[in-house]
Amino acid sequence: KAGVTQTPRYLIKTRGQQVTLSCSPISGHRSVSWYQQTPGQGLQFLFEYFSETQRNKGNFPGRFSGRQFSNSRSEMNVSTLELGDSALYLCASSLKGQIDIQISPLHFGNGTRLTVT
Amino acid sequence: QKEVEQNSGPLSVPEGAIASLNCTYSDRGSQSFFWYRQYSGKSPELIMFIYSNGDKEDGRFTAQLNKASQYVSLLIRDSQPSDSATYLCAVNDGNNRLAFGKGNQVVVIP
């Protein structure tokens, strides 16, 4: 079974631009979560989607948004990029959206490394 | 924001020794706990999970949970150079999301 697929793997953007990242979850997984990873802050939760609905949102500004499609694929958008947005963006999927170890833990994709110059 | 704390600084262990990692969490209501391993330049991969007090063993890995003291630990027995990685502790904060610690780097010295 294919894992979580994220595209692109690397992105270089300039301040003020916007960017869209894509994530295809493991087949059958309906929940998709997004995390930002930086050396200083570690892994921080951005948001989670389940059945095309955003169920949870982390403490990020409104410039960060996302959506999920009917096939469970998800996209994340960052507008008006800032230097501090440079990070590894990780997408993770789980089977039913409950991070319950008896059902399905989070499975991470390889990430998109975004560099803002 | 629920807090998850891990010991700072890299942990160097000789090959064959036991590596011990600790993690504390702030939310007494947390129910499930995870250890992820992340190799440099790679994504986190799940290696252990635990939700009951006590020990859980899986191969060379043992997770220990003490809810009263609000800590969870990971032991790596017979450490191998391939265990050199960053280990992330994560706690289910009850809202379908994980709160992660900042990780512990483990270096196994041959």
Side-chain angles (χ1 to χ4, degrees):
Chain A
K1 183 183 273 192
V4 178
T5 304
Q6 290 188 248
T7 57
R9 290 296 308 278
Y10 302 94
L11 268 176
I12 300 176
K13 293 286 188 179
T14 57
R15 279 177 295 177
Q17 287 187 313
Q18 74 164 18
V19 66
T20 299
L21 313 181
S22 181
C23 172
S24 294
I26 292 172
S27 178
H29 284 196
R30 297 171 62 191
S31 168
V32 174
S33 301
W34 289 89
Y35 287 79
Q36 181 197 66
Q37 187 174 32
T38 59
Q41 298 299 317
L43 271 157
Q44 293 188 292
F45 174 80
L46 280 156
F47 27 65
E48 185 237 354
Y49 288 87
F50 183 80
S51 293
E52 302 178 65
T53 300
Q54 184 183 88
R55 294 200 300 188
N56 287 291
K57 192 177 191 305
N59 297 323
F60 280 82
R63 300 184 297 107
F64 292 81
S65 63
R67 59 178 175 169
Q68 186 181 32
F69 302 96
S70 58
N71 61 359
S72 294
R73 192 177 69 84
S74 177
E75 287 182 347
M76 189 191 104
N77 184 273
V78 188
S79 62
T80 319
L81 284 166
E82 301 177 359
L83 294 178
D85 297 332
S86 295
L88 179 66
Y89 289 89
L90 290 161
C91 170
S93 73
S94 64
L95 186 58
K96 293 185 180 181
Q98 299 290 331
I99 308 178
D100 184 321
I101 55 173
Q102 292 176 312
I103 297 176
S104 178
L106 284 184
H107 297 271
F108 284 90
N110 287 327
T112 294
R113 184 163 296 282
L114 171 65
T115 302
V116 182
T117 61
Chain B
Q1 178 82 18
K2 310 298 194 295
E3 301 230 334
V4 180
E5 299 285 341
Q6 294 185 247
N7 300 340
S8 60
L11 175 65
S12 295
V13 294
E15 184 174 355
I18 296 175
S20 178
L21 304 171
N22 295 314
C23 170
T24 59
Y25 57 94
S26 63
D27 182 11
R28 187 170 290 277
S30 299
Q31 294 295 315
S32 51
F33 308 86
F34 305 80
W35 284 99
Y36 283 82
R37 177 177 62 198
Q38 187 173 26
Y39 292 113
S40 180
K42 302 294 185 182
S43 62
E45 58 177 320
L46 181 72
I47 54 172
M48 288 287 291
F49 53 82
I50 188 167
Y51 61 97
S52 297
N53 273 330
D55 295 0
K56 180 182 178 183
E57 188 174 312
D58 184 359
R60 296 186 295 109
F61 297 97
T62 299
Q64 300 173 317
L65 175 61
N66 185 320
K67 289 187 178 181
S69 301
Q70 294 178 236
Y71 81 79
V72 57
S73 62
L74 179 71
L75 300 178
I76 308 172
R77 292 183 304 281
D78 187 24
S79 295
Q80 301 297 309
S82 60
D83 295 326
S84 296
T86 296
Y87 290 80
L88 300 162
C89 174
V91 177
N92 182 345
D93 77 351
N95 289 308
N96 290 338
R97 60 193 183 191
L98 295 183
F100 283 85
K102 292 188 177 180
N104 280 125
Q105 185 182 8
V106 172
V107 178
V108 180
I109 304 168

